[in-house]
Amino acid sequence: MIGDQCGAHTFPYVEVQEPSAQLEHEATTSKVSDDQLFYLRTRGMTEEDALNMVVNGFCKDVFQKLPMEFAVEAEALLGITLEGAVG
Amino acid sequence: MLTIQNLHARVGETPILKGINLEVKAGEVHAIMGPNGSGKSTLSSILAGRDEYEVTEGSVIYQDDNLLALEPEERAWRGVFLSFQYPVEIPGVKNIYLLKAAVNAVRTHRGLPELKAGEFLRLVREKLKVMQMDEAFLHRNVNEGFSGGEKNAMKFCKCNCWSQHLRSLMKPTRVST
């Protein structure tokens, strides 16, 4: 997220027509493990690069299934949104 | 090359290191031994720049630099290598990708040109051969599902790729092979 005035709000909403269906909805946000970041930094990567690598790796399974132009955009977007997101 | 003087450090309120002195000259090999909880890992972690330890006294000079003032990545660029006792897994990131990114990050900061894909592959293959490791390793995710021995072998392979100067290896059980 860009700037200090913004926030993310998630409103789970699921519409189901099938009375016998069982389903769950989950959205979580999490921070990247300090151990992973530290590990990559001791290998010479800046905090920024390290963060990018961990998150892109984490999202790769999904990215691989996206159409090409979508995947490229998603990756670029991640690059922007991650700046300063460490804490 | 490395001079540790009167190093005191603590985690939270618990003091762990109480006045360590150590002088390491280029080419020397030192083994630090001691019972569990005596601070061996702490010392290693402090040298690599882990921030959960607070240094309360003393200094660490590495090749004329105040090591403690540098960020972990800056230490890596200068040649400090910490092998992790419990290597971290990074899902979705292949070894070859991490190795290349890291080798080139270090090279860039040492004023060397980045290795191109072909040159890099040649270097890695050579190092794998020394460790008698299969190339399939490169395409597995970082430390994910590795056996203890494989993790250890990988450490050495990485360390050699970087040609780091100061190597702090924890439980380097594969030294003998």
Side-chain angles (χ1 to χ4, degrees):
Chain A
M1 284 181 273
I2 305 171
D4 55 5
Q5 299 293 311
C6 62
H9 305 270
T10 314
F11 301 97
Y13 174 80
V14 184
E15 208 169 278
V16 188
Q17 305 284 337
E18 169 56 56
S20 67
Q22 284 193 15
L23 56 116
E24 286 174 43
H25 176 280
E26 195 177 356
T28 61
T29 58
S30 56
K31 277 178 178 163
V32 174
S33 123
D34 283 344
D35 281 342
Q36 291 178 326
L37 283 187
F38 177 67
Y39 175 74
L40 292 175
R41 290 178 74 195
T42 63
R43 301 305 180 244
M45 263 166 276
T46 59
E47 199 165 14
E48 200 64 49
D49 290 344
L51 192 61
N52 256 316
M53 189 177 267
V54 174
V55 174
N56 274 311
F58 184 78
C59 301
K60 209 176 68 185
D61 283 350
V62 179
F63 283 176
Q64 277 174 343
K65 296 189 178 98
L66 295 174
M68 191 56 186
E69 62 274 22
F70 226 28
V72 173
E73 201 165 321
E75 209 162 308
L77 272 174
L78 265 180
I80 303 172
T81 40
L82 293 172
E83 275 170 45
V86 208
Chain B
M1 183 174 177
L2 178 76
T3 309
I4 302 174
Q5 270 177 338
N6 192 31
L7 189 65
H8 288 68
R10 63 179 185 198
V11 175
E13 290 302 303
T14 318
I16 298 186
L17 301 182
K18 299 158 194 160
I20 301 274
N21 291 291
L22 177 68
E23 166 103 37
V24 180
K25 297 196 178 73
E28 287 181 351
V29 177
H30 292 248
I32 298 171
M33 298 191 285
N36 292 344
S38 59
K40 309 179 293 292
S41 303
T42 302
L43 179 62
S44 248
S45 296
I46 288 173
L47 293 182
R50 200 164 196 126
D51 56 11
E52 67 204 55
Y53 301 96
E54 193 192 340
V55 174
T56 49
E57 218 185 308
S59 66
V60 180
I61 305 295
Y62 169 71
Q63 290 179 338
D64 301 328
D65 280 319
N66 174 7
L67 192 70
L68 299 177
L70 301 173
E71 295 292 327
E73 60 268 33
E74 293 174 314
R75 302 181 193 199
W77 301 339
R78 284 166 175 74
V80 175
F81 182 89
L82 165 76
S83 90
F84 282 61
Q85 197 164 354
Y86 307 104
V88 183
E89 299 187 356
I90 305 180
V93 177
K94 287 178 182 172
N95 275 307
I96 189 164
Y97 181 61
L98 167 65
L99 277 169
K100 184 157 182 279
V103 167
N104 280 335
V106 170
R107 285 182 68 93
T108 305
H109 288 278
R110 288 185 191 162
L112 298 164
E114 291 197 359
L115 288 183
K116 295 197 185 70
E119 297 168 318
F120 171 73
L121 261 181
R122 221 169 302 141
L123 171 77
V124 174
R125 287 203 178 116
E126 191 185 304
K127 305 296 182 194
L128 281 175
K129 213 186 236 170
V130 176
M131 290 309 298
Q132 297 173 3
M133 288 172 69
D134 194 86
E135 230 177 89
F137 271 103
L138 296 175
H139 300 285
R140 284 167 61 180
N141 289 340
V142 177
N143 292 323
E144 220 179 16
F146 277 35
S147 74
E150 286 173 340
K151 284 182 183 174
N152 264 319
M154 204 61 215
K155 285 181 198 170
F156 282 94
C157 179
K158 287 178 183 158
C159 191
N160 289 332
C161 281
W162 274 276
S163 44
Q164 297 294 56
H165 314 305
L166 178 70
R167 301 170 178 192
S168 161
L169 304 169
M170 298 214 242
K171 300 206 173 162
T173 45
R174 231 189 186 210
V175 157
S176 51
T177 63

